[in-house]
Amino acid sequence: MAADGSIIFEANLDDRQAQTKLNQLKSKIQRLQSSLEKSTGEQSGIKEKLDSAKASAQQTEKEIKQIMAALQSELALNEDVQSGKISMSAEELQQAAERQDDLLLKLKEQQDILKRQDQEIQSLGRQYDRVTEKISRQTQELNDAKNEASDYARQVIESGKSQNVMAEVTQKTSAIMAQL
């Protein structure tokens, strides 16, 4: 109170802390969005490699099936020769044996390739799962930060409204007091 009999109203509505926290959250949200975009890009790259590796493995499996079918035909021919159903010259028998050896070699090579491809697929699958989990965590953290920022933004807005209302009340009270 002042000595002249007037009444002084003072309202200290401080939204600086809320505004500071809101600014910090905005910065955090931008960092999280950037990190999430980077992780999503990484996930896409791994997914492309994984899909390519799976397609290669499927092609290798087809080649193995073709080799197996050709090998079965050669073995059936061999059985027919041994049972006497078909007769072959020594040269034809030698060529058949070479074809079988060649097919067995190709089969072994393709099985080794398929084994390496399966290992690569498993490795890429683990990488993809890790990045997907990371994206899930980042998305949750981003959503939490957005919700928190929304709460602080609401506080800042409400504080601004309260300051305006308080200013109006103070002016009206001052006017009434001046009339008295």
Side-chain angles (χ1 to χ4, degrees), residues 59-71 74 97-116:
Q59 183 60 38
T60 302
E61 287 174 345
K62 285 180 186 177
E63 290 176 25
I64 287 173
K65 287 179 183 177
Q66 291 172 347
I67 293 170
M68 295 279 288
L71 188 56
E74 288 294 326
E98 288 174 4
R99 284 193 306 266
Q100 288 174 11
D101 289 342
D102 186 45
L103 287 170
L104 287 171
L105 181 62
K106 286 181 182 178
L107 179 62
K108 174 74 172 121
E109 288 173 356
Q110 291 302 311
Q111 287 173 332
D112 289 344
I113 290 170
L114 184 60
K115 184 177 178 180
R116 286 191 304 272

Side-chain angles (χ1 to χ4, degrees), residues 2-23:
D4 63 1
S6 61
I7 300 174
I8 299 173
F9 291 94
E10 185 177 329
N12 187 8
L13 301 172
D14 189 8
D15 68 343
R16 283 180 288 174
Q17 287 180 340
Q19 187 63 50
T20 300
K21 184 66 175 173
L22 181 60
N23 290 340

